Amino acid sequence: MFEGLRQEQVGVDLLALIKDSPGQLQRLLSDLEDERFTLPVRVSESADERQEANTRARMISAAILSVGFAFLLVGFGNRSLLGVLPYNR
């Protein structure tokens, strides 16, 4: 069943390639003649890569917030910004 679907998909892709090739070749040659060379690229991420990127973003956010909170607790110079902890030097 899957083999037949796979062959059908390959056939459809091959027909699309045959149909679109002359136009793509014309665009490529036109771009080369105009001294510009661009290739359209499509990028996609897997679900695992997206989840890892989200985890890294959350960890960075937590680190920034914790450093900011530590500065608020300790204070800057001889003043405590929250006024809760006395400044002892």
Side-chain angles (χ1 to χ4, degrees):
M1 178 177 168
F2 291 116
E3 186 63 33
L5 271 159
R6 174 83 175 138
Q7 288 177 351
E8 183 178 328
Q9 183 63 39
V10 169
V12 169
D13 288 345
L14 190 59
L15 287 174
L17 178 66
I18 291 170
K19 183 184 92 172
D20 296 338
S21 292
Q24 290 177 353
L25 182 61
Q26 176 64 33
R27 184 179 53 81
L28 178 65
L29 292 174
S30 171
D31 286 349
L32 287 174
E33 182 182 16
D34 294 338
E35 294 184 5
R36 66 175 181 199
F37 182 69
T38 58
L39 292 175
V41 177
R42 187 177 307 163
V43 178
S44 62
E45 290 182 340
S46 69
D48 291 338
E49 289 173 339
R50 196 169 329 141
Q51 186 176 9
E52 288 175 5
N54 288 340
T55 301
R56 281 192 303 273
R58 286 187 189 111
M59 289 174 61
I60 291 170
S61 299
I64 291 170
L65 288 174
S66 64
V67 169
F69 187 66
F71 275 117
L72 287 175
L73 284 177
V74 173
F76 296 98
N78 61 359
R79 299 158 96 198
S80 177
L81 294 179
L82 291 179
V84 176
L85 299 174
Y87 176 74
N88 293 326
R89 204 175 241 213

